[in-house]
């Protein structure tokens, strides 16, 4: 088991461009979460999936953000028409209620987005 | 609503103890504790569930006061490796079902010196 992986690790883009991030959860973890973290703050919930179903999306997210988890495996997070305020670390986490301690979330290394 | 952590920062010498608190204004289903080192991902430490059940690493202890919706993380005999930012994540149960949706506090920076 190699843990949660995210790609790319760093992304620099110009304002107005679209970006897409990928998250590969731990194998067989049926829950997948996306968070955003800015410097000096805790992770902020964006959205989460149970298998392929997106159960909730934060009201803080604009329509420029979309996430998918086809076939309940990897997930992608797309940001359209990026703004400088989107600059942050985007973290992915996965969990399986029937394993380990229950709902503990295993985080990936994150994708650091810088919008110029 | 974001839980409130206190203190914001703690400085210790190796071997000293520390307590980090997390308080919520909402009725909680569970409290999770994570530690994050600079430039790394948060790492799970402990889950405290409504009803008193605790699950986590043996060297970490914590409490959950359901009446006050407060949790405390106890770090005893601190080691250099304990340094990092500690976050509590709170979950509000939806009809008794847990989906693991966490709202994190702003973090407590712990620094342990030799």
């Amino acid at each position: 088991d190699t843990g949660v992986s995210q790609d790319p690790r760093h992304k620099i883009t110009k304002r107005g461009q679209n970006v897409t991030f990928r998250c590969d959860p731990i194998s067989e973890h049926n829950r997948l979460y996306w968070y955003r973290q800015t410097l000096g703050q805790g992770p902020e919930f964006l959205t989460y999936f149970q298998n392929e179903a997106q159960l909730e999306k934060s009201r803080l997210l604009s329509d420029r953000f979309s996430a998918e988890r086809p076939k309940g495996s990897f997930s992608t997070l797309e940001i359209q028409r990026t703004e400088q305020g989107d600059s942050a670390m985007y973290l992915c986490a996965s969990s399986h209620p029937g394993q380990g301690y229950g709902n503990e979330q295993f985080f990936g290394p994150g994708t650091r987005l810088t919008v110029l | 609503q974001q839980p409130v952590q206190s203190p914001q920062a703690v400085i210790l010498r190796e071997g000293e103890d520390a307590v980090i608190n997390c308080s919520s204004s909402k009725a909680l289903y569970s409290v999770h504790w994570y530690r994050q080192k600079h430039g790394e991902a948060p790492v799970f430490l402990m889950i405290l569930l409504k009803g008193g059940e605790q699950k986590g690493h043996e060297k970490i202890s914590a409490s959950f006061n359901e009446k006050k919706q407060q949790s405390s993380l106890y770090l005893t005999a601190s080691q250099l490796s304990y340094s990092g930012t500690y976050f509590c994540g709170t979950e509000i149960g939806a009809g008794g079902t847990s989906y693991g949706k966490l709202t994190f506090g702003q973090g407590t920076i712990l620094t342990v010196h030799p």
Side-chain angles (χ1 to χ4, degrees):
Chain A
D1 194 342
T2 56
V4 179
S5 61
Q6 293 187 243
D7 184 69
R9 295 291 306 276
H10 303 273
K11 179 70 177 179
I12 300 175
T13 190
K14 293 183 179 180
R15 186 163 53 99
Q17 297 294 306
N18 299 342
V19 294
T20 300
F21 310 142
R22 176 179 171 127
C23 170
D24 286 273
I26 292 173
S27 177
E28 297 181 358
H29 275 197
N30 59 351
R31 291 182 181 171
L32 187 147
Y33 309 82
W34 283 99
Y35 295 89
R36 176 172 62 190
Q37 187 176 28
T38 54
L39 195 62
Q41 298 296 316
E44 177 187 28
F45 169 80
L46 295 179
T47 188
Y48 74 109
F49 295 82
Q50 177 147 313
N51 299 312
E52 66 274 9
Q54 186 174 19
L55 296 186
E56 188 172 340
K57 182 177 175 180
S58 170
R59 284 173 289 178
L60 299 173
L61 279 189
S62 72
D63 291 341
R64 297 184 297 106
F65 288 74
S66 63
E68 294 183 341
R69 193 183 182 197
K71 302 179 183 178
S73 55
F74 71 92
S75 175
T76 58
L77 178 69
E78 181 183 15
I79 308 175
Q80 297 181 326
R81 304 182 302 282
T82 52
E83 302 172 356
Q84 288 184 326
D86 296 332
S87 294
M89 176 73 84
Y90 289 83
L91 293 166
C92 174
S94 69
S95 73
H96 193 303
Q99 296 179 1
Y101 298 118
N103 273 334
E104 75 269 33
Q105 297 181 20
F106 295 85
F107 282 82
T111 294
R112 181 167 296 284
L113 173 67
T114 303
V115 182
L116 302 176
Chain B
Q1 190 168 358
Q2 185 181 36
V4 177
Q5 288 185 231
S6 64
Q8 289 187 318
V10 184
I11 300 175
L12 300 174
R13 293 277 181 202
E14 260 188 305
E16 293 181 337
D17 302 337
V19 180
I20 300 173
N21 302 301
C22 175
S23 179
S24 174
S25 59
K26 299 201 172 187
L28 301 176
Y29 179 88
S30 68
V31 180
H32 299 219
W33 286 95
Y34 289 80
R35 177 172 60 214
Q36 185 176 32
K37 293 183 180 284
H38 183 70
E40 298 180 9
V43 174
F44 167 78
L45 297 175
M46 173 79 69
I47 287 180
L48 299 107
L49 302 172
K50 188 177 177 179
E53 190 173 7
Q54 295 185 22
K55 302 177 182 179
H57 296 286
E58 292 179 359
K59 295 187 177 181
I60 302 286
S61 63
S63 64
F64 179 23
N65 185 324
E66 292 178 42
K67 266 190 166 182
K68 295 184 177 180
Q69 304 305 323
Q70 292 176 346
S71 177
S72 295
L73 184 70
Y74 304 98
L75 303 168
T76 56
S78 60
Q79 304 170 18
L80 295 177
S81 62
Y82 286 12
S83 293
T85 303
Y86 289 76
F87 293 101
C88 68
T90 56
E91 181 184 9
I92 300 170
T97 302
S98 168
Y99 291 101
K101 177 191 170 187
L102 299 179
T103 303
F104 285 90
Q106 80 280 16
T108 295
I109 301 171
L110 179 73
T111 306
V112 181
H113 290 296

